[in-house]
């Protein structure tokens, strides 16, 4: 069978753009290739993506675009103007589109993945972008032969907000990085010395924007600071309205205790998790929550909010607190910091919970959807 994949959101350059959807594309794509050696794949990619970069096997045809599709307007032009003609020429059985939007005039069946609908719940973007996302996502899920969501939570969001029939929406959870596993103490200690990290710290990772709820975490930390006696490190690039986060740290007198360490590169993230006393994820809304899975996979105890898919991903392995309750969050931070027996229990539960998620399983279930649509 011949499948195609729109990989224009794949980032060939190291940096924060390789997180999120780009990583999802990379992981699911490589697994799909592995489990379908007798099928053909055509991958439509942005300029700069090469066969060597992807380790593409012989049964994969890679078609980098001539348009600069890392630019959103060029990508939209490719999807809605160029893609229909390209698909008529290549004639795949199904086109997989990994983020919300399909070519509306595609001559073949399409399957679209929806990661979350935060842009419908929150004012996350400029008005023009929000209108585009809202309109094209609604049209795409109605046009697509099937919709994949990355969690049961997002599946319910699609059913509620986009009015798609339940039999056309399938939840396929994301996987964990196979290379994410517990790290030995010698490696952690070398990393601490290299990065100048304190011997004990709390870690939170996420883009600095209101949806990640960093402000509530900072208020919780302020309440517990004297009892905790360890700093809070916050990793992540600047999103929007981040000045309010920095101002809150200043207003609460936490400049020496709360440290913003910026975007954490892929190859360092595992050891940051492993070096932390606990990982805190206070998000107001999550379509999945990969950082939760990453932290559990290395054996780090997790404190998470009760918002979105966080409970679904963390299961009973994390301390779950109301997303906007700083007092409850402060109590959870103190418990996980003070109680060694609790940390050991959470570590074991977290490792077991993380093993439930794999990219191989995600690829197998995605392939099942593609084959059903093709038939």
């Amino acid at each position: 069978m011949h499948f195609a994949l729109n990989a224009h959101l794949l980032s060939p350059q190291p940096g924060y753009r390789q997180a999120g959807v780009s990583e999802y594309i990379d992981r699911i794509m490589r697994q799909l290739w592995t489990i379908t050696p007798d099928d053909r794949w055509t991958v439509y990619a942005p300029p700069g993506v090469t066969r060597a970069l992807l380790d593409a096997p012989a049964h994969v045809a890679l078609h980098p675009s001539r348009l600069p599709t890392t630019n959103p307007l060029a990508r939209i032009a490719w999807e809605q103007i160029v893609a229909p003609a390209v698909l008529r020429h290549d004639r795949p059985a199904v086109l997989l589109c990994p983020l919300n939007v399909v070519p509306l005039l595609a001559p073949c069946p399409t399957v679209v993945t929806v990661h979350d609908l935060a842009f419908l719940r929150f004012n996350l973007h400029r008005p023009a972008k929000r209108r585009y996302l809202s309109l094209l996502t609604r049209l795409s899920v109605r046009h697509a032969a099937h919709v994949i969501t990355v969690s049961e939570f997002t599946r319910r969001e699609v059913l509620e907000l986009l009015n798609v029939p339940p039999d056309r929406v399938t939840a396929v959870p994301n996987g964990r990085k196979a290379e994410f596993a517990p790290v030995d103490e010698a490696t952690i200690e070398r990393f601490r010395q290299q990065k100048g990290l304190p011997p004990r710290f709390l870690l939170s990772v996420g883009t600095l924007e209101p949806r990640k709820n960093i402000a509530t975490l900072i208020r919780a930390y302020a309440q517990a600071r004297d009892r905790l006696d360890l700093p809070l490190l916050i990793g992540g690039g600047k999103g929007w309205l981040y000045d309010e986060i920095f101002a809150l740290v200043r207003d609460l007198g936490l400049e020496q205790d709360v440290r913003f360490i910026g975007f954490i590169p892929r190859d360092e993230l595992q050891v940051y998790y492993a070096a932390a006393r606990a990982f805190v994820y206070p998000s107001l809304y999550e379509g999945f929550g990969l950082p939760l899975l990453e932290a559990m996979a290395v054996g780090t105890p997790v404190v998470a909010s009760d918002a979105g898919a966080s409970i679904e991903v963390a299961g009973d392995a994390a301390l779950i607190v109301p997303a906007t309750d700083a007092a409850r969050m402060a109590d959870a931070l103190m418990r996980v910091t003070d109680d060694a027996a609790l940390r050991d229990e959470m570590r074991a539960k977290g490792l077991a919970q993380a093993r439930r998620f794999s990219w191989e399983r995600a690829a197998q279930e995605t392939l099942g959807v593609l084959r059903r649509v093709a038939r």
Side-chain angles (χ1 to χ4, degrees), residues 160-176:
E160 177 186 346
L161 298 178
L162 302 181
N163 196 30
V164 183
D167 61 351
R168 287 185 48 233
V169 188
T170 300
V172 177
N174 289 330
R176 73 182 189 283

Side-chain angles (χ1 to χ4, degrees), residues 88-101:
R88 276 192 293 272
H89 176 271
D90 294 340
R91 302 178 64 185
V94 187
L95 172 69
L96 176 60
C97 300
L99 182 64
N100 291 33
V101 174

Side-chain angles (χ1 to χ4, degrees), residues 258-276:
V258 177
R259 308 177 191 177
F260 295 93
I261 58 178
F263 173 76
I264 300 176
R266 270 188 188 182
D267 59 352
E268 297 179 357
L269 193 52
Q270 178 185 8
V271 193
Y272 264 108
Y273 286 129

Side-chain angles (χ1 to χ4, degrees), residues 145-221:
H146 206 85
V147 179
I148 290 174
T149 64
V150 297
S151 64
E152 286 292 345
F153 167 77
T154 300
R155 183 176 187 272
R156 293 193 297 270
E157 289 280 270
V158 168
L159 298 181
E160 177 186 346
L161 298 178
L162 302 181
N163 196 30
V164 183
D167 61 351
R168 287 185 48 233
V169 188
T170 300
V172 177
N174 289 330
R176 73 182 189 283
K177 298 181 180 76
E179 65 271 24
F180 269 46
V183 181
D184 63 86
E185 286 298 327
T187 299
I188 293 173
E189 188 54 38
R190 284 196 300 272
F191 189 76
R192 287 189 203 279
Q193 296 295 327
Q194 177 189 350
K195 295 294 181 180
L197 297 176
R200 302 187 314 146
F201 62 89
L202 297 173
L203 177 69
S204 188
V205 173
T207 304
L208 301 184
E209 61 184 20
R211 178 165 70 103
K212 295 303 182 180
N213 200 26
I214 301 299
T216 299
L217 170 58
I218 291 169
R219 292 188 181 96
Y221 177 82

Side-chain angles (χ1 to χ4, degrees), residues 42 58 112 185 218 236 241 268 274 308 323 333 336 341 352 365 373:
T42 298
V112 64
E185 286 298 327
I218 291 169
L241 294 181
E268 297 179 357
L333 296 180
V336 77
E365 294 182 10
V373 168

Side-chain angles (χ1 to χ4, degrees), residues 244-311:
E244 297 178 10
I245 299 172
F246 298 145
L248 180 61
V249 170
R250 290 193 299 272
D251 292 345
L252 294 174
L254 298 175
E255 295 98 324
Q256 301 303 313
D257 303 285
V258 177
R259 308 177 191 177
F260 295 93
I261 58 178
F263 173 76
I264 300 176
R266 270 188 188 182
D267 59 352
E268 297 179 357
L269 193 52
Q270 178 185 8
V271 193
Y272 264 108
Y273 286 129
R277 186 78 158 183
F279 176 71
V280 194
Y281 204 59
S283 182
L284 291 172
Y285 182 104
E286 284 299 322
F288 185 80
L290 271 174
L292 292 170
L293 195 55
E294 293 167 346
M296 290 189 299
V298 302
T300 301
V302 169
V303 175
S305 72
D306 61 355
S310 294
I311 298 176

Side-chain angles (χ1 to χ4, degrees), residues 219-221 223-224 228 325-335:
R219 292 188 181 96
Y221 177 82
Q223 293 180 29
L228 292 173
D325 191 331
R328 294 274 295 276
M329 195 175 295
D331 180 67
L333 296 180
M334 289 185 288
R335 284 181 62 201

